[in-house]
Amino acid sequence: MIWLLLAQAADPIAATIAGMTIDQKAAQLQSSAPADASAGLPAYDWWNEGLHGLARNGPATVFPQAIGLAATWDPDLLARVGDVVATEARAKFNARPAGADRRLYEGLTIWSPNVNIFRDPRWGRGQETYGEDPYLTGRLAVAFIGGLQGPDPRHPKVIATPKHFAVHSGPEAGRDGFDADPSPHDLEATYFPAFRMAVTEGKARSLMCAYNAVHGTPVCALPSLLIDRLRRDWGFAGFTVSDCDAVANIALFHHYRPDAAGAAAAALTGGTDLNCGSSYAALPEAVARGLVGEAAVDAALTKLLTARRDLGIAFGAASPWSRIAPSDVATPAHHAVALEAARKAIVLLQNAHGLLPLKPATRLAVIGADADDLGVLEGNYHGTATAPVTPLDGLTARFAQVRYAQGSVLAEGAPVVMPRTALRDLTATYSIGDRTLLTRNEPRIDRNLARAAPAPGVPTTGWRARWTAQFTPPGPGRYRLVIDQAQCWKDCTVHDRATLRLGGRLLHDGPLPKGRVEMEVESDGTPQPLILDLDHRSEDESIRLLWLPPAEPLLAEAVAAAKAADVVVLVAGLSPDLEGEALPVQVPGFVGGDRTDIALPAPQRRLAAALRATGKPVVLVLASGSAVAVDPADADAILALWYPGEAGGTALADTLAGASNPSGRLPVTLYRATSDLPAFVDYGMKERTYRYFTGTPLWGFGHGLSYTRFAYDRAAARGGIAGAPVTVRVRVADRGARAGDEVVQAYVVPPAGDARPRLTDPVLQRQLAAFARITLAPGEARDVTLTLDPRMLASVDRDGTRRVLPGRYRIWIGGGQPGDGAGQWSEVTLTGAAVVLPR
């Protein structure tokens, strides 16, 4: 008995599990784990998000969307972003006692980063990734994970969860039961490397498996992936979690097992420890039927309870991170990192005739629906920005004269936020009962209210708001007005009530249970009073007033603004209303969150042509989460802004004015047309990404211009036997009149292998093997040395074997790919026998 008590004291996790019933254990293996008093466990929801800032739990610092962070090519910055996310997660967690129950989005297990390869620009969730290259994705993931988890592996700040393992990148439609069929070559060369780096170098404590199947087996039930590759080959010792409802999909959509018990058993034995969803409630039945042993349940639960203990939130464990103050959220220091990231993410694609930078006295016409939309700043999987700056706000603050016109909708049939030009003298009044809390002017009815108050002094819920304005349409016609509240993410049972009046006419009076209410009105173009009342009772919903106006008056308004300006800034592209996860949208060019056409949508193409026809210089700013095909002749200067986060408008204004020298580089290929792409459902890599694409893109992966000029010389590579690292040294100089950041990139063309590629095999053009971001003053030169890991020199055979071959390697080192900007070729010959590298 004494021995047993000592054993229990030495291993409280084992003792806790030994005292639990199978039903108690199964409950703790689900994402919404209930409180268990007998086990000493408070309720804990494992699901939290931190893709580019702490998400869905009120005010937080909102960084550029992940694809924008990738455009910085700055691992040090990604580590600092991850650290801010972890700090804000801890700050919110520390606002209550460590043993308090935690609901959805309140935990310390962060389901980020997304390291899937952005193989096709049509995928709506590609914005969540670090782009199309496995090496860049892996390097940034390692840095971000390190920032999240912190320097002490015994006491993680939070736990990172790279996702979605593996071979997952659209289409969104059918994702629940999709079967990917990649070749062994593509698995090893493209789909696995970033995950391997996240585990072996980043030391991620958790990993999420995907919805899809691979070669007929759902990946959340695939032991060759989750056990053999992940745990045996890569040494992963953390816990795995399913994508949400992926375990249920094993039976419901994959039909791999006939019922919930079979699906739960298949997932658990296949290597999935934690079920996001409720399917593991069937584990007691599965154990009773002999489909899985209780020892497997205990093993999974041991990993989960160990994670809770190491976080310092169970079994009396302490954490050094418990000292983070609850006020350490959305601080000035955190905002400064967001501004730095937004500046570094901007990619200058072209700058004809040196149009940029602009002088502060330049009269601007700022055009486009994306110029003044909160959602375009925040992207998806985001928190609530406390002081967001739209492009219009940023440019207005920086330049002396700015005139705004929306110009067009983003896509045919897709409503956009009603602009400030159509809501003159917009005033918002917030109250509780008969007591007015706040009255102020607001630019738009466009508020993110997810667990967040609309203003200081107003509570999170339980208030009423009234917006009054003069509805001032740009001309006569039929207008569709939309009250939109589609922000709710899960299990939302309480909805707000809204009343909308226009010109004394009642258009809507009632709840918003489906998130969106649409109305049509005729207008002769004269102003009418508009009143929108909102009774805010929900916790996870936004409020936006959208419209779908007639095209011609909107276009005429934009052309008039352009003619009165010196320079036109057209902020065009996409939005999270059009591209994203499983969206209920189907308009020309878009379906279900994915795209069917990568071109700039037709309404915006017409707008761009009309603005170009005015003869005024045009700066085209592309706001999107993916590559958008445009005509370079439509603008003098073109920049990629991405979804830039809370400081996006300031960063754009700083860049156009020359206060910030653009230094972002493309993390994806910008193709010329959809016809350049293979079938979306084809997971083969032939003719995909810069590594295998044999056509001519608009702009290639790694491309990005600067306001200064960089020069390269003295490139030299050194290497020895096959399987050893190779070093490349080059001198880089700033030959311009401005300081600037250069991203030095090394691309390898390995010697050809023994076997000829088949017609279906991808033909490697080149592959990124190393990079470094440096800052140079005008006239400064610096020697840069890059070390190329043997894995980045290796070739991958058809059977998935990665080997370094002896022979002559060609290495390009420059500011982009060969032929794109300054750089030099170098060569190195590796001797000895071919070396097979571990999986």
Side-chain angles (χ1 to χ4, degrees):
M1 178 61 71
I2 294 176
W3 175 86
L4 180 59
L5 291 175
L6 290 173
Q8 290 175 338
D11 190 353
I13 292 175
T16 297
I17 293 173
M20 299 172 74
T21 67
I22 184 62
D23 294 280
Q24 288 176 290
K25 296 173 185 178
Q28 294 300 318
L29 294 181
Q30 298 170 74
S31 56
S32 296
D36 189 328
S38 64
L41 295 171
Y44 183 77
D45 201 300
W46 293 82
W47 184 354
N48 204 353
E49 302 286 355
L51 183 67
H52 58 117
L54 190 66
R56 300 179 175 178
N57 191 20
T61 305
V62 180
F63 297 93
Q65 177 58 285
I67 194 68
L69 293 174
T72 70
W73 288 57
D74 191 340
D76 174 71
L77 175 63
L78 268 287
R80 287 185 284 130
V81 170
D83 181 65
V84 171
V85 175
T87 294
E88 297 193 354
R90 277 284 178 175
K92 289 179 181 285
F93 191 92
N94 292 346
R96 299 167 60 206
D101 292 342
R102 308 291 170 168
R103 57 178 180 159
L104 186 65
Y105 310 130
E106 291 184 348
L108 298 175
T109 38
I110 307 294
W111 291 356
S112 298
N114 184 336
V115 298
N116 292 130
I117 296 303
F118 198 1
R119 66 184 177 91
D120 193 305
R122 287 169 287 196
W123 186 35
R125 295 191 70 182
Q127 62 181 286
E128 302 173 25
T129 75
Y130 296 140
E132 68 183 39
D133 180 72
Y135 179 73
L136 177 63
T137 296
R139 288 266 61 86
L140 297 178
V142 168
F144 187 70
I145 291 166
L148 285 174
Q149 296 190 161
D152 185 354
R154 298 169 303 167
H155 301 288
K157 198 171 186 180
V158 299
I159 286 178
T161 307
K163 61 185 184 185
H164 311 81
F165 192 49
V167 200
H168 178 78
S169 53
E172 284 298 287
R175 67 180 185 174
D176 295 307
F178 182 73
D179 183 19
D181 192 28
S183 68
H185 172 276
D186 288 340
L187 283 172
E188 176 61 32
T190 297
Y191 294 115
F192 284 169
F195 283 102
R196 186 183 193 277
M197 293 169 69
V199 169
T200 61
E201 298 181 50
K203 307 299 181 184
R205 292 281 303 258
S206 177
L207 182 137
M208 178 180 287
C209 56
Y211 285 120
N212 55 280
V214 170
H215 303 315
T217 302
V219 293
C220 289
L222 185 55
S224 63
L225 188 69
L226 296 182
I227 297 176
D228 297 345
R229 182 59 61 100
L230 179 63
R231 296 193 182 276
R232 185 192 66 196
D233 296 342
W234 297 348
F236 178 71
F239 67 89
T240 55
V241 57
S242 74
D243 203 344
C244 293
D245 296 321
V247 175
N249 294 349
I250 291 172
L252 295 177
F253 293 98
H254 290 287
H255 309 294
Y256 183 72
R257 291 292 184 268
D259 55 22
L268 192 65
T269 57
T272 300
D273 300 311
L274 175 66
N275 166 215
C276 179
S278 56
S279 294
Y280 273 6
L283 280 175
E285 179 186 347
V287 170
R289 288 165 52 186
L291 301 177
V292 64
E294 192 165 352
V297 176
D298 292 350
L301 186 54
T302 298
K303 297 169 196 166
L304 298 181
L305 296 185
T306 299
R308 292 176 72 168
R309 180 200 63 195
D310 291 353
L311 285 166
I313 60 174
F315 304 106
S319 171
W321 307 111
S322 62
R323 294 189 293 269
I324 293 174
S327 60
D328 202 3
V329 173
T331 65
H334 295 175
H335 177 78
V337 181
L339 177 58
E340 177 188 351
R343 286 170 171 162
K344 288 183 172 180
I346 292 174
V347 182
L348 180 60
L349 299 172
Q350 76 176 31
N351 190 19
H353 316 299
L355 174 62
L356 299 178
L358 304 173
K359 296 179 180 179
T362 304
R363 295 178 302 163
L364 296 185
V366 178
I367 311 294
D370 277 352
D372 201 28
D373 184 331
L374 177 62
V376 170
L377 293 182
E378 292 183 330
N380 74 351
Y381 281 91
H382 58 82
T384 302
T386 57
V389 181
T390 67
L392 177 58
D393 291 332
L395 294 169
T396 300
R398 170 67 73 167
F399 290 88
Q401 298 184 56
V402 173
R403 183 174 173 181
Y404 174 62
Q406 194 170 65
S408 75
V409 295
L410 296 178
E412 296 285 0
V416 294
V417 173
M418 188 181 293
R420 60 183 72 189
T421 52
L423 290 172
R424 301 291 185 186
D425 303 319
L426 179 61
T427 300
T429 299
Y430 299 91
S431 60
I432 295 178
D434 296 330
R435 181 165 59 96
T436 298
L437 302 176
L438 174 69
T439 298
R440 67 182 182 186
N441 294 327
E442 294 184 351
R444 309 166 309 280
I445 303 176
D446 181 19
R447 309 289 305 174
N448 180 352
L449 302 172
R451 300 188 185 180
V458 181
T460 302
T461 62
W463 47 263
R464 294 180 60 87
R466 167 167 287 191
W467 287 272
T468 62
Q470 287 294 309
F471 175 63
T472 310
R478 179 174 291 273
Y479 291 79
R480 186 191 307 170
L481 307 186
V482 180
I483 306 172
D484 179 74
Q485 218 177 22
Q487 186 77 46
C488 182
W489 293 292
K490 184 184 178 186
D491 299 332
C492 298
T493 56
V494 178
H495 298 280
D496 291 356
R497 182 182 183 91
T499 302
L500 179 64
R501 295 178 176 86
L502 180 63
R505 176 187 168 197
L506 181 63
L507 299 181
H508 175 77
D509 183 13
L512 303 168
K514 296 181 180 179
R516 179 171 284 196
V517 174
E518 301 188 5
M519 303 139 283
E520 288 196 352
V521 297
E522 287 282 354
S523 173
D524 61 5
T526 59
Q528 301 179 70
L530 179 146
I531 301 174
L532 174 62
D533 289 306
L534 180 72
D535 185 4
H536 186 62
R537 302 292 174 182
S538 62
E539 195 177 48
D540 290 320
E541 294 184 335
S542 63
I543 180 66
R544 301 188 298 168
L545 184 60
L546 313 179
W547 74 345
L548 189 63
E552 292 309 315
L554 218 59
L555 185 63
E557 185 181 40
V559 169
K563 289 180 177 179
D566 299 321
V567 173
V568 176
V569 178
L570 172 58
V571 186
L574 310 176
S575 86
D577 289 331
L578 296 173
E579 59 173 349
E581 182 178 5
L583 298 179
V585 59
Q586 186 166 355
V587 297
F590 304 87
V591 59
D594 295 323
R595 288 192 284 165
T596 58
D597 189 345
I598 66 170
L600 188 69
Q604 297 183 81
R605 295 201 302 270
R606 290 194 294 269
L607 174 61
L611 297 174
R612 198 62 166 155
T614 65
K616 297 300 177 75
V618 175
V619 179
L620 174 58
V621 178
L622 290 172
S624 71
S626 52
V628 178
V630 298
D631 185 347
D634 280 345
D636 301 276
I638 304 177
L639 304 94
L641 181 66
W642 316 105
Y643 299 139
E646 63 184 42
T650 302
L652 176 63
D654 290 346
T655 301
L656 296 189
S660 175
N661 193 346
S663 58
R665 301 293 184 264
L666 288 177
V668 292
T669 300
L670 267 61
Y671 302 94
R672 293 182 179 274
T674 311
S675 57
D676 287 339
L677 303 170
F680 191 8
V681 295
D682 179 5
Y683 270 74
M685 291 305 295
K686 184 178 180 181
E687 293 297 335
R688 292 193 183 280
T689 78
Y690 79 96
R691 294 188 303 147
Y692 303 114
F693 182 57
T694 58
T696 302
L698 275 174
W699 294 284
F701 172 89
H703 173 76
L705 304 177
S706 172
Y707 293 155
T708 191
R709 295 180 298 106
F710 299 102
Y712 288 72
D713 65 1
R714 308 181 194 178
R718 283 181 28 180
I721 62 172
V726 167
T727 59
V728 184
R729 185 181 178 92
V730 70
R731 171 155 288 197
V732 186
D734 183 341
R735 297 286 174 79
R738 293 174 178 265
D741 282 14
E742 171 70 317
V743 179
V744 183
Q745 305 166 41
Y747 293 87
V748 172
V749 180
D754 297 331
R756 287 194 209 165
R758 299 171 181 156
L759 292 177
T760 56
D761 286 346
V763 178
L764 180 69
Q765 306 299 302
R766 61 190 65 89
Q767 60 187 12
L768 180 71
F771 64 92
R773 186 180 177 110
I774 62 172
T775 302
L776 295 175
E780 182 184 3
R782 183 183 306 173
D783 290 331
V784 177
T785 300
L786 299 178
T787 300
L788 281 56
D789 185 272
R791 297 192 73 83
M792 303 317 302
L793 298 165
S795 301
V796 178
D797 295 345
R798 280 192 207 128
D799 65 0
T801 301
R802 184 180 290 268
R803 67 183 76 225
V804 183
L805 305 171
R808 182 174 66 95
Y809 288 74
R810 300 180 68 217
I811 302 172
W812 169 266
I813 184 166
Q817 293 186 56
D820 182 15
Q824 289 189 332
W825 282 102
S826 185
E827 293 183 358
V828 66
T829 299
L830 301 184
T831 61
V835 175
V836 176
L837 299 179
R839 293 198 299 179

